[in-house]
Amino acid sequence: MWKYGDQWEEELLLLKSIIDKTELTETTKWGGPVYVYEKKNVIGLGGFKDYFAIWFFNGVFLKDEKKKLINAQENLTKSLRQWRFTSKNEVNEKEVLEYIHEAIENEKQGKVIKPSKKRSNYI
């Protein structure tokens, strides 16, 4: 898994146990767990040096009423949003499930930002 996944093993297992209560299917992409709905990426998990996180591939469409999400790479990331945690105590199962269910619903509705087409150098 991720470079710092081991130091957050217990915390990531807690998030996995919450995600397992949804209709998402776990797969592995880019060396870490990614959860999909009908083969579409919905969320991912990872452990980093100073935090562990759940990210929403189309998080830009989430209401985020609790103000939990951040854009980890401003100007680079159009739709991905992260929810960072530094302790297991910060993980509120009810809130996490609310965000995941909303993300699944958005996926069912086809809410996505289409990648911008790169301009060709050919005439």
Side-chain angles (χ1 to χ4, degrees):
M1 200 162 97
W2 299 89
K3 184 176 176 186
Y4 296 100
D6 290 349
Q7 83 184 47
W8 300 109
E9 185 176 7
E10 198 177 321
E11 291 82 354
L12 291 170
L13 286 172
L14 172 63
L15 285 177
K16 279 178 181 251
S17 73
I18 295 170
I19 297 164
D20 285 344
K21 296 177 181 179
T22 72
E23 58 194 298
L24 297 177
T25 306
E26 183 177 349
T27 182
T28 301
K29 296 184 181 184
W30 310 287
V34 171
Y35 295 83
V36 299
Y37 174 78
E38 293 185 352
K39 299 185 179 164
K40 303 260 196 263
N41 300 337
V42 179
I43 57 176
L45 292 181
F48 300 86
K49 186 176 179 188
D50 298 319
Y51 60 91
F52 60 103
I54 182 170
W55 56 87
F56 297 85
F57 285 92
N58 285 306
V60 69
F61 296 109
L62 295 170
K63 292 183 201 95
D64 194 21
E65 289 164 352
K66 306 226 179 352
K67 304 290 178 235
K68 301 290 187 184
L69 305 179
I70 60 162
N71 185 341
Q73 295 180 295
E74 212 63 60
N75 301 326
L76 284 177
T77 309
K78 287 193 173 101
S79 57
L80 191 121
R81 295 293 179 271
Q82 269 189 0
W83 185 347
R84 295 178 177 178
F85 306 92
T86 55
S87 150
K88 209 164 69 169
N89 300 335
E90 294 175 9
V91 178
N92 177 318
E93 180 172 330
K94 183 174 173 284
E95 289 180 359
V96 170
L97 282 171
E98 283 172 14
Y99 276 70
I100 294 171
H101 287 303
E102 185 186 348
I104 294 169
E105 202 47 50
N106 288 344
E107 197 59 58
K108 288 177 179 178
Q109 293 172 18
K111 290 184 180 178
V112 292
I113 293 179
K114 299 277 184 256
S116 52
K117 290 195 165 55
K118 294 207 167 38
R119 294 184 67 185
S120 171
N121 292 334
Y122 302 106
I123 298 173

